[in-house]
Amino acid sequence: MKKIIIYSLFILGLWACKEKYISPVVSPNTGYLVVEGIINSGAGETNIILSRTVALSSNAINYERGAKVNVEGDDNSLYPLKEISNGHYSVSKLNLNANKKYRINIATMDGKKYLSNFAAVKNNPAIDSINYKTESQGLQFYVDTHDPSNNTKYYQWDYTETWEFHSTYQTYLKYKIVNSSKGQQYSVVFSDSTRFGWDMGQYICWKTENSSSILTGSTANMSSDIIHLPILSISPASWKLSVLYSVNVRQYSLSKGRYEFLQRMKKNTEGTGSIFDAQPSELSGNIYCTTNNDPVIGYIDVCPVQEKRIFVNPYQVPNWAYWLYKPNCTEIDVTNNSDSIQLKSVNLLPTNYKDINAMTGAIISFYAAPPECVDCRLRGSNIKPSFWK
């Protein structure tokens, strides 16, 4: 009993020692400007994303809308970017002069102006290959590149994943709702016929996701400028590789300053959370506010962006058990009358008939399943990507 009392007092003491910490740092209501992206000196797109910092307690992204964004050259050349969606500004085919320097010029709707330092165009070697192999954690992808001149040294990558997936159940049926004196009456009928006998628009879809982690590499301490680096993995039984998968990798060559900036950002965003992690550091970049002394988060470099896309078929991956992908989907059977439908399946979607009247062709009973198991559009898009095989 003494041990129990002492232990209880010890736990109570620990609890009593906890105090709420309130940060003395007060952020402005609109937050500080965050500038993400790089100036693509080649024929591809230059994409700049503008947003504002938010409170630590918020998960929202506060995009900066309605800004005027331009790429400026030290030869007085000017290339305006267009806002293609909230906070996303883009221009294509700049084909900049490799002998000139360039910067970003931003004017926000609140009247403030921002400039990055002029930066020289850096050479960016082509990606040699994107390859993969099965490992204990699943399918591991690697990027390979090299610079024969040994001048690049600092690299960054991001990627876009796209995969085709199918609904667990094909649907041949649809609900028919009729208003009557008794209220809405439900029944299930055959849907409009398609070439394959079921609704392909709900069966085949594609999902696209962009990378979110900071991927960098350096050969500054190596004798040769050669990179072989893991960039992403797909876990076993993932829906990403249930039908067909593709990844498009983009490569950027960096100045030492941007590389170090990204390393600090990586530590701040991915390496904090315990007393043993590195402490957050100041994210000073090469962008500044010319209107006042407001801090700005971002670092702008200039280089041609290199890209490479690969497709992966699960049948071609050694030892890949693609059939293990089994979503949590089950069907129930329902009698085809309004009371039964409203009681059992009004929040489900019909899939196929169970019993049918051989004389009239009327559906007597049917199967139904959760909507996300029947309509793939709830998890992706049924619009086939232009690059899809």
Side-chain angles (χ1 to χ4, degrees), residues 156-171:
Q156 181 186 2
W157 299 270
D158 59 31
Y159 55 85
T160 300
E161 299 175 278
T162 304
W163 61 93
E164 180 181 333
F165 67 97
H166 297 167
S167 297
T168 304
Y169 303 112
Q170 304 157 2
T171 178

Side-chain angles (χ1 to χ4, degrees), residues 5 7 41 69 104 197 205 209 232 255 274 307 317 350 352 379:
I5 294 174
Y7 180 75
S41 60
V69 182
I104 284 289
C205 284
E209 287 184 354
L232 74 134
S255 64
S274 76
E307 298 186 43
V317 179
N352 199 0
R379 296 192 294 160

Side-chain angles (χ1 to χ4, degrees), residues 225-294:
D225 204 342
I226 300 175
I227 290 282
H228 174 73
L229 195 75
I231 53 173
L232 74 134
S233 63
I234 299 177
S235 59
S238 169
W239 68 317
K240 291 182 179 182
L241 202 49
S242 59
V243 181
L244 184 62
Y245 172 87
S246 178
V247 60
N248 185 50
V249 179
R250 292 170 293 271
Q251 177 179 285
Y252 313 90
S253 58
L254 309 180
S255 64
K256 183 180 180 181
R258 179 177 168 94
Y259 175 79
E260 292 174 345
F261 171 84
L262 291 175
Q263 291 299 100
R264 293 195 300 273
M265 178 171 285
K266 186 177 179 71
K267 290 179 181 178
N268 285 356
T269 58
E270 301 175 15
T272 56
S274 76
I275 60 173
F276 302 105
D277 290 322
Q279 297 304 300
S281 58
E282 184 180 353
L283 290 173
S284 57
N286 67 345
I287 309 173
Y288 54 94
C289 180
T290 62
T291 307
N292 54 29
N293 293 322
D294 278 0

Side-chain angles (χ1 to χ4, degrees), residues 71 126 142 182 214 219 229 248:
V71 172
Y142 295 87
K182 297 181 180 180
I214 298 174
T219 61
L229 195 75
N248 185 50

Side-chain angles (χ1 to χ4, degrees), residues 106-376:
I106 301 168
T108 54
M109 290 188 68
D110 61 2
K112 295 179 181 178
K113 296 183 178 181
Y114 304 83
L115 288 174
S116 66
N117 295 331
F118 279 111
V121 178
K122 280 187 61 67
N123 177 56
N124 187 16
I127 299 174
D128 292 330
S129 67
I130 306 297
N131 51 79
Y132 59 87
K133 64 179 179 179
T134 51
E135 298 180 355
S136 58
Q137 75 274 21
L139 195 65
Q140 180 67 57
F141 288 80
Y142 295 87
V143 60
D144 285 279
T145 191
H146 77 287
D147 181 4
S149 64
N150 285 340
N151 289 326
T152 304
K153 302 297 183 183
Y154 303 101
Y155 298 85
Q156 181 186 2
W157 299 270
D158 59 31
Y159 55 85
T160 300
E161 299 175 278
T162 304
W163 61 93
E164 180 181 333
F165 67 97
H166 297 167
S167 297
T168 304
Y169 303 112
Q170 304 157 2
T171 178
Y172 298 80
L173 311 175
K174 66 180 180 180
Y175 287 121
K176 181 180 179 180
I177 305 174
V178 177
N179 293 316
S180 70
S181 58
K182 297 181 180 180
Q184 289 186 330
Q185 297 296 300
Y186 290 80
S187 63
V188 163
V189 297
F190 286 100
S191 60
D192 299 333
S193 61
T194 65
R195 183 162 63 94
F196 294 97
W198 65 80
D199 190 345
M200 298 296 290
Q202 298 183 55
Y203 182 67
I204 300 177
C205 284
W206 291 264
K207 178 73 174 179
T208 296
E209 287 184 354
N210 293 316
S211 56
S212 57
S213 58
I214 298 174
L215 300 171
T216 58
S218 172
T219 61
N221 296 323
M222 301 179 184
S223 58
S224 56
D225 204 342
I226 300 175
I227 290 282
H228 174 73
L229 195 75
I231 53 173
L232 74 134
S233 63
I234 299 177
S235 59
S238 169
W239 68 317
K240 291 182 179 182
L241 202 49
S242 59
V243 181
L244 184 62
Y245 172 87
S246 178
V247 60
N248 185 50
V249 179
R250 292 170 293 271
Q251 177 179 285
Y252 313 90
S253 58
L254 309 180
S255 64
K256 183 180 180 181
R258 179 177 168 94
Y259 175 79
E260 292 174 345
F261 171 84
L262 291 175
Q263 291 299 100
R264 293 195 300 273
M265 178 171 285
K266 186 177 179 71
K267 290 179 181 178
N268 285 356
T269 58
E270 301 175 15
T272 56
S274 76
I275 60 173
F276 302 105
D277 290 322
Q279 297 304 300
S281 58
E282 184 180 353
L283 290 173
S284 57
N286 67 345
I287 309 173
Y288 54 94
C289 180
T290 62
T291 307
N292 54 29
N293 293 322
D294 278 0
V296 188
I297 299 174
Y299 203 110
I300 295 295
D301 265 352
V302 189
C303 74
V305 179
Q306 304 290 356
E307 298 186 43
K308 186 174 284 290
R309 177 183 296 280
I310 64 167
F311 285 84
V312 182
N313 189 315
Y315 303 100
Q316 300 171 339
V317 179
N319 304 317
W320 188 259
Y322 60 88
W323 59 85
L324 292 178
Y325 169 62
K326 294 185 182 298
N328 186 23
C329 294
T330 56
E331 288 179 302
I332 64 169
D333 59 273
V334 185
T335 302
N336 191 15
N337 62 61
S338 188
D339 291 340
S340 182
I341 291 172
Q342 293 188 65
L343 178 65
K344 297 178 67 176
S345 67
V346 71
N347 294 319
L348 305 178
L349 288 180
T351 58
N352 199 0
Y353 66 85
K354 180 182 179 184
D355 296 311
I356 194 168
N357 189 311
M359 297 293 292
T360 65
I363 298 170
I364 298 172
S365 63
F366 63 93
Y367 295 104
E372 62 273 12
C373 300
V374 182
D375 189 348
C376 64

